[in-house]
Structure formats: structure tokens, C-alpha cells
Amino acid sequence: MKNGNESHPNQLPPFMRNGRLRRILVFIAILVIYSVVVSFLYNFAMGVTISIISVVGLIYTITAMNVMGSETNRYINDLSYRIHRGEQEALLEMPLGMLVYDDDQRIEWVNPALQQYFGQENILGKPLVEVDEQLSGVIANFDPEEEDPVINWRDHRFSVLVQKAYNTAYLLDITKYVEIQEQYEDERIVVGQVFLDNYDEITQSLTDQEISNLSNYVTNELATWSQKFGMYLKQVDDDHFFLLAYAKSLDAIEADKFSVLDSVRESTSKQNFPLTLSMGISYGDDDLNHLADQAQTNLDLALGRGGDQVVVKSLDGQARFYGGKTNPMEKRTRVRARMISQALNELMKESDQVFVQGHTRPDMDSLGACLGIRRIAEMNGQTCWIVLDKEQMHSDIQRLLEAIQEYPEIEDAIITPEEALEKATDTSLLIMVDHSKPSISISEALYERLSDRTVIIDHHRRGEEFPENPMLVYIEPYASSTCELITEMFEYQPHEGEPINKLEATAMLTGIFIDTHSFAMRTGTRTFDAASYLRSAGADSIEMQSFMKENIDSYMARNHLISLVDFFKPKMALIVGEDNVEYDSVTAAQACDSLLSMSGVDAGFIITRRPDNLIGISARSTGAINVQIIMEAMGGGGHLSSGATQLADLSVEEARDMLLETITDIEHNNNSED
């Protein structure tokens, strides 16, 4: 215990409570004493004088230090009070909500900024889960590593911070800033291109009054649609409109599934003028030039897929497709075929050599198209190499290659992908036939070598994967086959060159015959015109039959697959092969084709394991069911009535479950749209 006579620190003069002032005073005192002693030793009178001055100065110094110490203490006390009061007022008045709870999550204290969201309810001492279950869950599940966690609570948006070590939660109301951000996102510019797919073809046979009525109907329908969703629409040409909108409007029309496509198609069909729309819409960039270019690219993609659909895509995002539920109408004219043919001839003449390649595991349409391009190049005085990987060929292609041995000039023109890479130069021309995806080319490396000097000729709907800078694109999804497209080009070739020979004509006619299922599907007048031309050029029907003959193994495998058929939905048939048995893709496709000949089947699917260990799914339809949309949802593509995809790292049963789930989701979306 302290002695009773011991002075308490608070009883000392103010300046003595300050250590620095005490040390200064001791120093001054020592200096004064020393000065007085020295003065007395030197002179008594001077010593008395110095003593008086020193005492007066010491008294003044002590008084000044005492005042200074008092003022300092008063300032510190006042500052401490203000800080403490500021802390209390901050907790009570700051706009940041604060909640303190105990270890049992009972509310110990909330500041007024947070209390206002509870109204007049007395919440102190109550379990948080009883007061507000949502807030209790947010605090209990708070993850400190999550950046800027934002919650929607009581019709407000909050940024949340929970200090679990101190049982304290902070909620900052950021509703205003979120609304500003949402408004910014909602008001970002969207640019669109709207095109009337077959306007020119339909109006050719109409009177001026009928054309005017049709144009007025379409314009009024589009204007009503654009006004409904708050968009700006401007007609640029008879068959072309420009669209400007906000992102909020785009969300609304996507939720509406672009129903204007269906309304225009159905109304014009009832008037016997079946007109369809295609749109390309872009968003997500502040540069209008970039948006306009992307919108045009999206429109090209929609048209390349056959029209009657919408492609929505940002500059660096994934494309979203709407529509495309009907078979594309035959819109190409002989004028277009002539223009494409002339452009191709010019490109060939400007090149030192030509390479042509189809897709991996080529079929008769792919190889027949290659033979047709080689003949066109020969007719234009150019050397053309057919790039072919002879491994894992189907029996019909093997028989065609055997027949080619009787034509040394053609056989010598067939080279491997490795040889093609060695021969390719910067002025060579690459023609991709029967496909437009570089990833499924026979030689993707050759495409990469000649990516800036590439021509595409295909009859499949264009997919999202597409060469960046093709020199010429001829994609006609309504054509029966690529061989049909190339056959039409022979009419516009120089007559000085040697014409198509018997083998080439037979191979190309076989390609058309197989792709149309013996002229039963996807045929038009142009298909029969092409077949007639090839027949007159020497195509041999007997040799066609020999090309299409199956070996006994393929025949037995196809029949075995057909025996596994199961009807999993009304008018849908499915074949699932064994997981431990590999089936050739052509054999599987033929088995799938056979399903459509069964009564009551509108769509058929087959799932098999391929020789490359991938799971292959082929889909066929009479046209009543759009199998292209189903295959695209699974990463593949094709036509409305024909599609396929390949899946990796799955069993056939897992692929079956994935297919059924995809079909169910698409049916659900279609029902929701209706």
C-alpha cells in the first residue's frame, strides 16, 4: 500500500505532471545554482544581484510552465472528450449500419442507421434468426474472401462486412449506386440489322400493288414490334432495316423469343407470300463502329445458317440463336452461281496452285466435291491437289479410291496433309468443301498456313466456328449437297479445258444421291438439274450402286444397331449402341437414316462409340422436329432435318442421359414460348 504522506500525482502542479517540463526545470535550476555560486565567489554584490535575478526568473519560469502545463492538460482532456463524443456520435449517426451480437447470435446492439430497416420493432436481446432469417443466414455464411459481397435485403442492396472475431456486422446501403450501375447497363447501346430473307424472290412474281401491300404489312409489323419494346427502327432498303435500342429492350425481346419472326412468317404464308426475317444484333461495346460491324457479322451468320432466325452476340461473347425452326427456302439464283463461279475462277488464276480438302472421315459428297473442284481448276489451267488422309476410310470411299487408280492424273493429285504443308506457298489457294469448321478439316494445319487465302463451299448451316478472313464464301444451306453447288459451276467454266469425266460425274452424282437419301429429302428443282447434268456428262448408275454397296460387316453392324431401337418419346426413336463396341460413323448414320422409314417416326437419334473413342450422336428428322437445334445445344450442328455431334469423356449411357435432358429442356422452352 502507498504511504499516506505520499503525494498523489494529480496533487502535483500541472507542469510537474509533464516529464519533459520537469527535466527542463531541473536543468534550469542547476544552471541557476551554478551561476549564483560562481557570482558569489567572484564578487559578493554581483552574487546578490544574480541571486535576485535568478529567483525572479525561476519564479516566472515555474509560473509559465505551470500555465503551459494546465493549458496542455486542458487541451488534451478536451480533445479526448471530443474524440470520445465523436466516436459515440459516429456510431449513432453514421450512414453505415452496424450490428453487434453475442456468440449465440443474439442481438446486443444496433445503431440507428440499421434500426430504421427494422422499423419500430424492438430487436435487442432477441435471436437474429427470429428477427430476420435472411440476415442471419448472410452473417453466418459470410465469406471474407469474397470480393464486395452484395445482398438484396428488405428491398435494398447492401455491401456487407462481417467481423466474426468481434461479433460485429456492417451493412452499407448502396441501393442508389446499384441503381445507377443498372441504369448504365440497361442503357448501353444495341445495334441490329434486320433483313427480309427472300423478298426479291417473292416480289418477282407480284404486281406493284401486291408488292406495296406486302411491304406495308412488313413495315407496319416491324414498326409495331419496335415501338412495343422502345426501339428505333429505320428502313434502309426494301429488304433491309437498321435497329437501334437499349440493352434493356434487348433483354425484353430475348424473353419474348423474337416472336415477330413467327408472326411475319405465319401471316405472309396465309397470304401465299411466305416471307421470313433474319436479324443480327450486337451489344456490349461503346464504339458504334464496332457494334455495327458485329451486327453485320451476326446477320451474315444468321443468313449462312439458312435465315428465318436471329443471332445475338457481343464482340467477345457466345452467340445466342433464336428461330431457325423451318427449313430454309430456296433463294439462290443462277446469277449468284455464275458470280461465285467467276470469282472462284479469278482466285484460281491469281494463285500458283490450289488445294482442296473436305472434312475428316470424308463421305461421297465431300470427296466428290473435291474431285469437282480439281476438274474446275484443271479447266482454268491450274494445278489442284486433293488433300486426303487415307486412314480409316469407309468402304464406299475405299471403292472410289480403287476406281481412281484407273485415272493416273487424278490419283497423282491426291496427297497427304504432310505433303500439302510442304507444297503450300504464300500465293496458294485453299478451298474447303462440305464444311466450314477448320477444326474438322482433314488438315487444320493447312488451313492455318493458308487462313488468309481460303475459300469455303458448303451446304451446311454456318456455325459459330468459322474462318476469320475467307476470300470467298459460298454457303447455301438449302442445297441438297456440296456436289450440287459445284456441279452448277461447270456451266460457267472455260470450254477450252477438258470437261468433267465419267468417274468424276459418277462420284458427284453419288454424293448427291446419298445426301438426299435417294432424292427423297432436301431436293429442289436445282437438285434434279444438277443430277441431269452429271448424268449427261457420263455418270454411271451401275458404278454408283457399286460405290454404295456395303461390305458384310457394315451391313450386319447397321442391322444390329437398328434392332436396338427404342421409342423414348412420341414420334422419336433412339438407338444406343454398346459402350464397348466401336461403330463406323457412316454405318451409324445409315442406321439412323433407316429410322425415318418406320411408321410414326418423325425424328431418330443414334448414339455410338466411334473408332476415335469419341461418342458420336447422329440425328435425322422428317422436318417436323428441328434436330439441328438439339445438336447445336450439345455442341454440334447440321440442318433442321439432319445433325450430329461428338462428345468426349462420356459413356454412351451418359450421352443418352444428356441427349434426353437436352430434348426435355428445348421442349420446355418451346412450351414456355407458346
Side-chain angles (χ1 to χ4, degrees):
M1 294 180 62
K2 292 182 180 180
N3 192 293
N5 296 325
E6 184 178 350
S7 298
H8 192 277
N10 291 333
Q11 296 175 352
L12 296 175
F15 76 92
M16 291 297 290
R17 302 172 198 160
N18 191 310
R20 288 185 179 181
L21 294 180
R22 288 200 304 268
R23 288 190 289 271
I24 293 174
L25 183 60
V26 170
F27 175 75
I28 294 174
I30 293 173
L31 184 61
V32 167
I33 294 172
Y34 176 78
S35 301
V36 170
V37 171
V38 171
S39 298
F40 273 107
L41 292 176
Y42 179 74
N43 184 284
F44 180 80
M46 182 179 292
V48 173
T49 303
I50 294 298
S51 297
I52 295 172
I53 294 173
S54 297
V55 171
V56 173
L58 190 59
I59 293 173
Y60 176 78
T61 300
I62 292 173
T63 303
M65 286 186 174
N66 195 38
V67 172
M68 184 184 302
S70 298
E71 291 178 350
T72 301
N73 289 338
R74 190 162 49 249
Y75 173 76
I76 292 174
N77 292 334
D78 183 59
L79 180 61
S80 298
Y81 170 75
R82 283 186 290 163
I83 291 174
H84 183 65
R85 181 178 178 181
E87 290 175 348
Q88 292 179 332
E89 291 180 352
L91 290 175
L92 295 174
E93 299 181 10
M94 67 179 176
L96 175 67
M98 183 176 175
L99 183 147
V100 180
Y101 55 92
D102 61 17
D103 293 337
D104 296 326
Q105 269 208 348
R106 289 182 177 273
I107 301 174
E108 293 185 336
W109 180 78
V110 293
N111 68 343
L114 188 61
Q115 177 66 51
Q116 63 177 317
Y117 299 102
F118 294 102
Q120 301 298 321
E121 181 182 0
N122 183 14
I123 62 175
L124 296 183
K126 295 182 179 180
L128 182 57
V129 68
E130 293 182 7
V131 174
D132 195 296
E133 186 175 352
Q134 180 187 1
L135 184 58
S136 175
V138 169
I139 294 176
N141 301 322
F142 178 78
D143 183 3
E145 296 184 358
E146 183 180 355
E147 294 184 2
D148 299 327
V150 177
I151 65 168
N152 189 354
W153 179 62
R154 301 211 172 191
D155 298 327
H156 290 263
R157 304 294 290 274
F158 292 88
S159 178
V160 181
L161 172 63
V162 179
Q163 293 180 319
K164 294 187 177 181
Y166 304 105
N167 289 349
T168 304
Y170 304 91
L171 288 83
L172 178 62
D173 192 339
I174 58 172
T175 304
K176 177 174 63 176
Y177 307 105
V178 171
E179 289 175 350
I180 293 174
Q181 177 67 25
E182 290 176 348
Q183 182 179 2
Y184 166 73
E185 295 296 338
D186 287 344
E187 293 181 357
R188 298 196 72 178
I189 295 298
V190 172
V191 173
Q193 303 278 358
V194 182
F195 186 74
L196 309 184
D197 297 331
N198 47 344
Y199 179 83
D200 289 339
E201 289 76 13
I202 288 178
T203 56
Q204 284 179 356
S205 58
L206 301 182
T207 64
D208 290 344
Q209 183 177 356
E210 290 172 332
I211 294 174
S212 177
N213 292 337
L214 179 62
S215 298
N216 288 337
Y217 165 74
V218 174
T219 302
N220 291 334
E221 192 74 17
L222 288 174
T224 302
W225 171 71
S226 63
Q227 291 173 3
K228 175 183 177 181
F229 293 100
M231 301 180 292
Y232 172 77
L233 185 73
K234 177 67 176 178
Q235 186 168 7
V236 179
D237 205 345
D238 290 340
D239 56 359
H240 190 194
F241 295 80
F242 174 77
L243 185 68
L244 195 63
Y246 289 131
K248 184 178 182 180
S249 298
L250 177 59
D251 293 339
I253 57 177
E254 285 195 86
D256 184 56
K257 304 291 185 182
F258 290 88
S259 59
V260 67
L261 270 67
D262 297 329
S263 61
V264 169
R265 184 195 325 108
E266 293 169 2
S267 296
T268 55
S269 295
K270 292 177 181 178
Q271 302 173 44
N272 295 321
F273 308 135
L275 194 67
T276 60
L277 303 176
S278 289
M279 300 185 195
I281 296 179
S282 66
Y283 65 97
D285 197 285
D286 294 329
D287 191 316
L288 293 178
N289 291 315
H290 293 165
L291 288 176
D293 292 341
Q294 184 64 45
Q296 185 61 52
T297 300
N298 294 348
L299 177 60
D300 293 341
L301 176 56
L303 294 174
R305 290 163 53 84
D308 189 25
Q309 58 191 282
V310 181
V311 176
V312 181
K313 183 179 182 298
S314 62
L315 269 67
D316 54 356
Q318 295 291 323
R320 301 189 293 276
F321 302 99
Y322 298 90
K325 300 178 182 178
T326 58
N327 270 316
M329 299 180 182
E330 186 165 338
K331 301 184 287 292
R332 80 183 190 273
T333 63
R334 294 197 179 274
V335 174
R336 175 165 166 75
R338 176 173 56 82
M339 292 175 61
I340 292 292
S341 181
Q342 291 175 349
L344 180 61
N345 294 351
E346 291 297 324
L347 290 175
M348 286 182 172
K349 292 175 182 178
E350 295 170 358
S351 306
D352 62 345
Q353 58 187 334
V354 178
F355 295 91
V356 59
Q357 66 177 359
H359 52 76
T360 54
R361 298 182 177 274
D363 52 19
M364 289 298 292
D365 186 39
S366 177
L367 187 52
C370 289
L371 293 174
I373 290 294
R374 194 202 75 86
R375 174 55 58 190
I376 289 176
E378 291 284 331
M379 297 172 76
N380 284 274
Q382 277 294 344
T383 300
C384 180
W385 306 100
I386 298 175
V387 184
L388 191 64
D389 185 354
K390 296 184 180 180
E391 296 182 1
Q392 297 180 334
M393 292 289 182
H394 193 256
S395 58
D396 56 350
I397 301 300
Q398 291 175 348
R399 282 189 288 271
L400 176 58
L401 292 177
E402 292 173 1
I404 286 176
Q405 294 177 1
E406 300 179 9
Y407 296 81
E409 70 281 5
I410 300 179
E411 185 179 19
D412 293 341
I414 299 176
I415 60 176
T416 65
E418 293 74 20
E419 292 174 327
L421 280 175
E422 293 178 1
K423 293 178 179 291
T425 68
D426 292 340
T427 56
S428 299
L429 183 67
L430 172 63
I431 302 177
M432 296 166 53
V433 296
D434 202 31
H435 73 295
S436 60
K437 295 182 178 181
S439 61
I440 64 171
S441 289
I442 284 183
S443 175
E444 187 175 1
L446 181 61
Y447 160 74
E448 293 174 353
R449 173 69 175 83
L450 300 173
S451 59
D452 292 331
R453 295 190 57 79
T454 299
V455 173
I456 298 170
I457 304 175
D458 189 18
H459 73 113
H460 297 97
R461 292 193 179 198
R462 173 179 165 179
E464 192 172 350
E465 180 190 346
F466 197 76
E468 292 185 4
N469 300 302
M471 301 184 72
L472 182 65
V473 176
Y474 190 27
I475 295 181
E476 301 293 358
Y478 43 81
S480 69
S481 58
T482 309
C483 285
E484 176 187 333
L485 297 176
I486 294 174
T487 298
E488 291 184 335
M489 296 183 183
F490 282 105
E491 181 181 349
Y492 310 106
Q493 302 307 314
H495 297 291
E496 295 79 11
E498 184 177 346
I500 183 173
N501 61 35
K502 175 183 176 182
L503 177 67
E504 293 164 339
T506 303
M508 296 182 71
L509 184 56
T510 305
I512 296 175
F513 191 82
I514 291 176
D515 269 26
T516 59
H517 305 294
S518 305
F519 297 102
M521 298 181 65
R522 296 194 301 274
T523 55
T525 58
R526 307 287 287 279
T527 306
F528 291 103
D529 288 344
S532 176
Y533 174 86
L534 293 172
R535 192 73 177 87
S536 65
D540 189 340
S541 58
I542 296 178
E543 193 169 17
M544 280 177 55
Q545 294 299 323
S546 69
F547 287 156
M548 292 186 293
K549 283 183 179 179
E550 291 184 90
N551 58 41
I552 186 63
D553 293 335
S554 296
Y555 181 80
M556 296 297 292
R558 178 166 62 86
N559 287 339
H560 170 68
L561 286 172
I562 295 174
S563 69
L564 302 176
V565 65
D566 178 35
F567 293 86
F568 67 103
K569 279 182 177 290
K571 299 185 178 181
M572 291 189 186
L574 173 64
I575 296 173
V576 180
E578 300 88 343
D579 195 49
N580 59 347
V581 179
E582 296 178 350
Y583 291 94
D584 181 86
S585 58
V586 176
T587 300
Q590 290 173 344
C592 192
D593 290 335
S594 301
L595 296 178
L596 298 183
S597 62
M598 298 180 181
S599 176
V601 176
D602 285 341
F605 303 85
I606 186 168
I607 305 173
T608 58
R609 184 168 294 280
R610 293 158 45 108
D612 55 10
N613 205 35
L614 295 175
I615 298 299
I617 302 180
S618 291
R620 298 293 185 268
S621 167
T622 60
I625 297 173
N626 191 337
V627 296
Q628 179 209 3
I629 294 177
I630 299 172
M631 293 296 98
E632 282 185 337
M634 300 182 69
H639 292 279
L640 180 144
S641 58
S642 176
T645 189
Q646 291 83 44
L647 305 173
D649 302 325
L650 290 177
S651 67
V652 292
E653 288 300 325
E654 290 172 334
R656 176 185 182 276
D657 294 341
M658 183 177 177
L659 173 64
L660 297 183
E661 183 179 353
T662 301
I663 294 174
T664 300
D665 290 344
I666 291 175
E667 288 181 343
H668 175 73
N669 292 336
N670 289 340
N671 291 335
S672 299
E673 178 182 346
D674 295 339

